Amino acid sequence: MVVRTDTGKVHVSLDEGSKWTVLPAPDYAEHTPTEFLSIIRHPYFEDYAYFVPRDGKTALYTDDEARTTRVIRLPSVPALHPPLRFHPEYPDWLLFMGKCTDPQCSAQGFVSRDHGLHWDTIHGALGPAGCAFLRTDRAHKPHRQSIACARHIDTGGDVV
């Protein structure tokens, strides 16, 4: 069990709530966040969860039910909620919706196929729906690398 308090602290229980500890920080990290905006469970790989900080570009993730954590470097500060989206077949393929450097852009899409070691920009000026992998656990026909993004256009609407 994992919970986030109203102050952004994350606590973990490995015994169904009898004992609680603070989310473990990675041993090798110089600076790890201690306050988190959200906890995002991977919908396709149940042992994975991501702990997104309130600010900053260093997040934590676990692949062992929060017994340990590892650092993941984000390409920017989160912009949309949830900021991460997942691929149903590959746990290290991630989509991230982050803030743009251009002041006229509210959110920008990024993709990583190596669990955040490298991020590629896929689209700027995203709409509120962000981006998603087209292939899902129910839709197997789209190519596994296909991504769709909603974008904001000047006419005031979102187009997919």
Side-chain angles (χ1 to χ4, degrees):
M1 296 174 71
V2 179
V3 297
R4 184 182 67 85
T5 67
D6 58 353
T7 61
K9 304 287 184 198
V10 174
H11 298 274
V12 177
S13 175
L14 300 174
D15 61 3
E16 298 180 4
S18 294
K19 296 179 208 154
W20 292 90
T21 59
V22 175
L23 180 71
D27 293 334
Y28 58 88
E30 292 176 20
H31 169 69
T32 55
T34 58
E35 292 185 8
F36 298 91
L37 173 68
S38 61
I39 300 168
I40 305 170
R41 300 265 333 245
H42 197 301
Y44 306 110
F45 295 87
E46 65 184 29
D47 292 345
Y48 283 72
Y50 296 79
F51 308 95
V52 180
R54 289 189 188 272
D55 53 18
K57 298 192 313 184
T58 302
L60 299 179
Y61 79 96
T62 183
D63 58 4
D64 62 4
E65 300 178 334
R67 287 176 172 76
T68 62
T69 59
R70 297 179 187 170
V71 169
I72 182 171
R73 305 271 182 227
L74 303 175
S76 76
V77 176
L80 300 178
H81 186 75
L84 284 169
R85 311 285 165 82
F86 307 95
H87 195 281
E89 298 169 350
Y90 303 105
D92 9 338
W93 288 23
L94 305 171
L95 293 174
F96 180 77
M97 276 47 71
K99 290 195 177 171
C100 298
T101 54
D102 178 354
Q104 295 182 347
C105 170
S106 59
Q108 185 170 355
F110 301 89
V111 63
S112 174
R113 290 184 179 85
D114 57 11
H115 220 129
L117 292 176
H118 302 93
W119 292 95
D120 295 316
T121 303
I122 52 174
H123 203 287
L126 295 178
C131 297
F133 288 105
L134 286 180
R135 193 172 185 123
T136 68
D137 55 343
R138 295 185 191 130
H140 299 286
K141 290 197 182 226
H143 190 275
R144 63 179 38 101
Q145 293 190 25
S146 298
I147 297 168
C149 295
R151 66 183 184 100
H152 186 75
I153 55 176
D154 290 335
T155 61
D158 289 324
V159 177
V160 176

